[in-house]
Amino acid sequence: LGYLHETTAAEARGAPIPPSIVSDAELLAIYSQSLDQALMPLARRSLEAYRFCLAAFEELGGTIEGPQWTTWSEWCEDRGEEVYRVYSHAPEPTESREDLAAQPRSGDASSGGAQQ
């Protein structure tokens, strides 16, 4: 689900912008900010899904073995960091794999979030 939400948001961000908006710097800034705000729920869902993936692999720990599982764990980490970087407008992700996995997800009793 993380990839679904991520690519949906990326496709919307990659859609052509009308020339009348591109030619006006102020209007382009408003458009870009509004688009990012509208896509933020998708980005959050994507990040939550990638965090869930990381947490699941952390929880399983040594109970599953093999390079294919390590590859998927690293993929979830990389995708989550990319979503965080793009939508936080930070130059580089500042959270490590452990930080991402440790953050509360919606639906966790400790986060106070509602189950989706």
Side-chain angles (χ1 to χ4, degrees):
L1 288 176
Y3 188 69
L4 170 76
H5 294 305
E6 178 187 359
T7 56
T8 301
E11 290 293 322
R13 290 182 97 216
I17 301 171
S20 60
I21 294 176
V22 173
S23 64
D24 183 334
E26 182 179 357
L27 193 54
L28 181 59
I30 292 168
Y31 174 88
S32 297
Q33 182 180 14
S34 297
L35 183 61
D36 281 349
Q37 287 175 348
L39 296 175
M40 192 57 71
L42 285 174
R44 284 190 193 112
R45 287 184 199 120
S46 176
L47 190 55
E48 288 172 0
Y50 289 132
R51 287 176 177 160
F52 177 82
C53 173
L54 284 174
F57 279 108
E58 292 292 323
E59 185 177 316
L60 291 172
T63 62
I64 58 172
E65 296 181 17
Q68 71 275 20
W69 299 115
T70 302
T71 300
W72 279 109
S73 177
E74 291 169 354
W75 185 83
C76 289
E77 178 183 13
D78 292 344
R79 297 308 324 138
E81 288 175 352
E82 178 68 8
V83 170
Y84 177 81
R85 185 188 64 76
V86 168
Y87 286 93
S88 70
H89 302 287
E92 290 296 322
T94 57
E95 298 176 312
S96 69
R97 175 181 178 177
E98 292 78 21
D99 293 335
L100 288 172
Q103 290 185 3
R105 298 179 309 273
S106 67
D108 285 353
S110 61
S111 70
Q115 185 73 23
Q116 294 184 354

